[in-house]
DNA sequence: CGCATTAGTATCGTCTCGATACGAAGTTGT
DNA sequence: ACAACTTCGTATCGAGACGATACTAATGCG
């Protein structure tokens, strides 16, 4: 995994963390596109992440702008060239290819087992968990296309419910 | 995974790579306890690994000694305090605990799927594969307790066949 | 209003890592 | 035997990662 990440970023002379930050930002929802959320996601301090963001900003891969209501908060998003870089790099592609000889069913089972292990690990470490609305306790379906986050009280579009969120609370699956 | 590795090493003020190097050396067989093998394993250059080893040596966690036949080669092994550090740190423990709510059968299936994916990924990258004798093409069983590596021509004890080897050639499993 | 809290930045020192250059030991070809 | 090449490891340098610490600014709470 280390080599893969380094190679993918190396072509654009990006460090592994920088690439991971870009991937995160491409998938973060409106509650999760801040430096602090990225720090929690990567398991780094906010100071460290601040430096990474400075660098990505200087390279024009991200944009930083103020939050409307809380003026301490910085919002982050990929710039056009940041999105293009991700599109051209396709960091996930080697991993997808690696499963080509494995039946979809086995892949599904393995993924679900890994997801459970991750959740247990995160609970043991009292770490922030990230996930999308589909498996989140707070998510309410209002209509065919409109959802609502019961925690924040906002309405969410369909596409937004597939992004990752820092205030994720996994539904407890009833398995005996 | 990043956080976990950093935390485990942090208690002994070891960087993630340094801890990974120690774990590798604790499991490397006689063909694989060299700086170059470690570099291949970690996916780093030999120069980088050389620096890591220098540091581990200064801290007394490893020992370096010359090879008998090829005097360019440096052999590596954990020192007593290196082994003690690994024993006290137990870097794998959090991962084992993370699977405690998953049935052994699901874990086995997920592990085998991951192993296959890793093999495919490594083949795609033409990377060196590492593994133990149990699933290696070269391994011959001579008697109850004595094995032989068909590639190198050496006899191997039972415990040595459970270490990881850089000249590993996975048996092709006949699955249709 | 004063005070604690929170989001983010700035700076410093230690370490990682690749690139490059190097030396020493082994190998190959003639 | 000897020159040319290769392989194993080390040394050094610069960009960057990372945590620790200290700081500013905005918010919230009494």
């Amino acid at each position: 995994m280390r080599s893969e990440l380094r190679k993918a970023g190396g072509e654009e002379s990006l460090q592994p963390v920088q690439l991971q930050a870009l991937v995160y930002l491409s998938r973060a929802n409106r509650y999760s596109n801040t430096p602090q959320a990225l720090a929690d996601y990567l398991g780094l301090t906010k100071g460290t992440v601040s430096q990474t963001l400075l660098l990505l900003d200087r390279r024009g891969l991200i944009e930083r702008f103020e939050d409307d209501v809380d003026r301490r908060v910085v919002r982050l998003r990929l710039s056009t060239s940041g999105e293009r870089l991700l599109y051209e790099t396709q960091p996930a592609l080697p991993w997808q290819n690696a499963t080509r000889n494995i039946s979809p069913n086995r892949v599904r089972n393995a993924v679900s087992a890994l997801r459970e292990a991750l959740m247990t690990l995160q609970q043991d470490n009292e770490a922030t968990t990230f996930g999308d609305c589909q498996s989140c306790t707070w998510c309410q379906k209002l209509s065919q296309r409109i959802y609502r986050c019961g925690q924040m009280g906002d309405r969410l579009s369909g596409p937004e419910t597939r992004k990752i969120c820092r205030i994720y609370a996994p539904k407890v699956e009833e398995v005996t």
Side-chain angles (χ1 to χ4, degrees), chain A:
Chain A
M1 294 178 70
R2 173 204 303 275
S3 307
E4 202 57 46
L5 203 58
R6 198 167 284 282
K7 196 177 62 179
E11 293 160 15
E12 307 280 351
S13 63
L14 280 176
Q15 298 294 321
V17 207
Q18 299 168 8
L19 192 57
Q20 285 186 295
L22 292 180
V23 171
Y24 174 79
L25 290 180
S26 74
R27 303 201 53 216
N29 75 357
R30 70 176 73 172
Y31 308 131
S32 316
N33 56 355
T34 68
Q36 183 63 61
L38 178 57
D40 291 342
Y41 183 79
L42 295 175
L44 302 175
T45 62
K46 54 183 185 166
T48 298
V49 167
S50 183
Q51 295 311 302
T52 301
L53 292 172
L54 193 69
L55 214 146
L56 292 175
D57 197 1
R58 276 206 296 260
R59 293 196 45 176
L61 299 173
I62 61 170
E63 289 166 4
R64 298 197 268 189
F65 49 99
E66 281 184 355
D67 185 87
D68 293 332
V69 296
D70 189 338
R71 293 181 48 217
R72 293 171 303 180
V73 173
V74 171
R75 297 283 163 188
L76 306 164
R77 75 169 154 229
L78 292 184
S79 67
T80 315
S81 63
E83 298 202 2
R84 190 174 55 239
L85 186 144
L86 268 196
Y87 179 77
E88 288 168 357
T89 312
Q90 292 281 356
L93 201 56
W95 304 102
Q96 288 172 18
N97 286 340
T99 63
R100 65 177 176 275
N101 295 329
I102 308 177
S103 79
N105 205 31
R106 286 192 71 201
V107 173
R108 261 193 303 277
N109 281 327
V111 167
S112 109
L114 278 172
R115 204 185 295 277
E116 287 177 43
L118 174 61
M119 224 177 67
T120 308
L121 188 68
Q122 285 173 330
Q123 284 166 358
D124 289 352
N125 291 343
E126 292 159 9
T128 322
T129 54
F130 288 75
D132 64 11
C133 300
Q134 196 181 345
S135 59
C136 180
T137 311
W138 304 116
C139 188
Q140 305 160 354
K141 187 168 192 169
L142 295 186
S143 73
Q144 183 68 22
R145 299 194 174 177
I146 304 297
Y147 299 80
R148 182 172 175 280
C149 176
Q151 170 73 356
M152 301 302 285
D154 292 322
R155 296 189 173 196
L156 301 172
S157 68
E160 181 138 32
T161 60
R162 285 183 285 279
K163 298 197 159 191
I164 48 182
C165 182
R166 67 185 301 205
I167 50 175
Y168 173 72
K171 286 177 189 162
V172 183
E173 208 162 313
E174 298 292 339
V175 180
T176 23

